[in-house]
Amino acid sequence: PETVVFDVIYTPLETQLLKDARAQGAKIISGLTMFIAQALEQENLWLGRDISDNGYTELIKEYLLSR
């Protein structure tokens, strides 16, 4: 239960690695989390727009999983 598995791949959202880790009881983090964090930081660095996550990561994950 203290194990966290992070996969940098964001398509598919849940890779076989993450599925296996979840089945073993680990907390999993999709690469989409990193991808969105990088995009938000790029907006800040390149365009000076400081956009906080405000739940966008979870919203985008839910949208993609519903498709």
Side-chain angles (χ1 to χ4, degrees):
E2 295 90 30
T3 302
V4 176
V5 176
F6 177 78
D7 196 340
V8 297
I9 296 171
Y10 53 88
T11 303
L13 288 175
E14 193 166 300
T15 62
Q16 189 62 50
L17 171 67
L18 295 179
K19 289 177 186 176
D20 293 345
R22 181 192 304 274
Q24 295 295 317
K27 177 181 176 174
I28 63 168
I29 303 172
S30 166
L32 182 62
T33 302
M34 180 184 69
F35 185 71
I36 293 170
Q38 288 174 331
L40 294 174
E41 186 60 24
Q42 288 170 11
E43 283 285 317
N44 186 23
L45 291 172
W46 295 347
L47 303 174
R49 295 188 284 204
D50 188 17
I51 304 170
S52 64
D53 185 310
N54 290 333
Y56 290 124
T57 300
E58 289 307 313
L59 184 65
I60 293 169
K61 281 183 188 177
E62 288 174 19
Y63 171 76
L64 292 173
L65 288 171
S66 72
R67 298 184 72 204

